[in-house]
Amino acid sequence: MTQVNLYNLEAKEIGTFDLANGVFDIEPNQQVMFDAIIMQQASLRQGTHKVKSRREVSGGGKKPFRQKGTGRARQGSSRSPQMRGGGIAFGPKPRSYSYKLNRKVRRLALRSALSEKAISENVIVLDSIKMDSIKTKDFVNVMSSFGLERKTIFVVDMADDFDNAYFSMRNIPNVIMLTVEGLNTYDVVNANKLVFTKAAAEKAGEVLA
């Protein structure tokens, strides 16, 4: 079991917290994490690419030149794929690039990503993220207290009182807030630091174990 310090919003140690076994302390599976990230990136592709085929290009009803006597290859339409201005043969059409991985594989990828962050000591646990008012300046001070300067994810539980904190941080670049249910491999790997509330860390240990 991995033990980390428990902090308040002033970055003062108020105790310790045991991260769940099997979620934050497994051997990271790099291949599974790679597969999960590729799946997420593929799902983000719009797939709205489109070209016109021969039947969709306007014009071309008239034979461009006579069949014989020109020395050229015979042509029936100026909109054939081999003609300039013609349609595109086998061109891209709108499609979805999304696909799915097995649930066990996705969960293993997420546990591997969380374990990798815990092993590299990039997981912070807060007793609470409750703020008395909505002030971006106050949230910036919280981040400065912990030395959080780059990509950071704050993970909360639905039972937490995080409304003021969310409205205070939403305009800060490279900072996002997710619930435990919203955790995903791509965001975890992409972040430099993970900041869990105590309730969120406990919930992650329950639902991902």
Side-chain angles (χ1 to χ4, degrees):
M1 184 173 288
T2 303
Q3 191 175 76
V4 296
N5 293 324
L6 183 64
Y7 296 92
N8 60 19
L9 283 179
E10 287 74 42
K12 296 179 180 178
E13 294 182 22
I14 59 174
T16 59
F17 182 83
D18 294 324
L19 296 174
N21 285 333
V23 178
F24 293 92
D25 65 347
I26 68 171
E27 179 69 26
N29 189 318
Q30 300 295 331
Q31 182 61 51
V32 169
M33 285 195 292
F34 175 80
D35 292 341
I37 291 171
I38 294 300
M39 179 202 69
Q40 284 187 250
Q41 290 178 324
S43 299
L44 292 174
R45 294 184 65 176
Q46 290 186 336
T48 53
H49 39 43
K50 172 74 169 67
V51 296
K52 290 185 177 181
S53 63
R54 175 174 176 168
R55 68 177 182 175
E56 295 169 317
V57 178
S58 61
K62 180 182 177 182
K63 190 174 175 66
F65 46 82
R66 61 195 178 96
Q67 181 86 343
K68 297 178 179 294
T70 65
R72 301 177 63 184
R74 57 191 176 185
Q75 301 292 339
S77 171
S78 60
R79 294 298 176 256
S80 297
Q82 72 271 19
M83 300 288 284
R84 180 173 180 176
I88 303 298
F90 310 113
K93 300 292 182 182
R95 54 163 291 193
S96 171
Y97 285 91
S98 63
Y99 62 94
K100 290 185 178 181
L101 292 176
N102 291 335
R103 183 170 177 266
K104 287 184 177 180
V105 176
R106 297 197 307 269
R107 288 167 67 92
L108 175 59
L110 182 53
R111 293 201 305 269
S112 295
L114 292 172
S115 295
E116 194 169 65
K117 293 299 180 185
I119 291 170
S120 59
E121 299 182 350
N122 286 318
V123 173
I124 298 172
V125 180
L126 299 178
D127 180 50
S128 171
I129 200 169
K130 181 179 179 181
M131 296 180 66
D132 296 330
S133 61
I134 300 174
K135 275 193 175 181
T136 301
K137 182 178 179 180
D138 291 346
F139 201 89
V140 169
N141 291 335
V142 170
M143 294 187 63
S144 297
S145 300
F146 286 98
L148 303 174
E149 299 177 352
R150 303 178 67 187
K151 297 176 183 176
T152 305
I153 297 179
F154 286 84
V155 186
V156 298
D157 181 43
M158 293 303 295
D160 285 317
D161 186 356
F162 59 84
D163 289 347
N164 287 348
Y166 170 73
F167 287 115
S168 297
M169 56 74 67
R170 61 179 178 172
N171 289 329
I172 302 176
N174 296 324
V175 181
I176 62 174
M177 182 178 288
L178 297 174
T179 62
V180 175
E181 292 77 10
L183 275 175
N184 60 87
T185 305
Y186 177 80
D187 283 336
V188 171
V189 171
N190 191 43
N192 294 97
K193 292 282 186 180
L194 300 180
V195 182
F196 283 82
T197 63
K198 182 180 178 181
E202 291 172 347
K203 181 73 171 290
E206 294 172 3
V207 300
L208 296 175

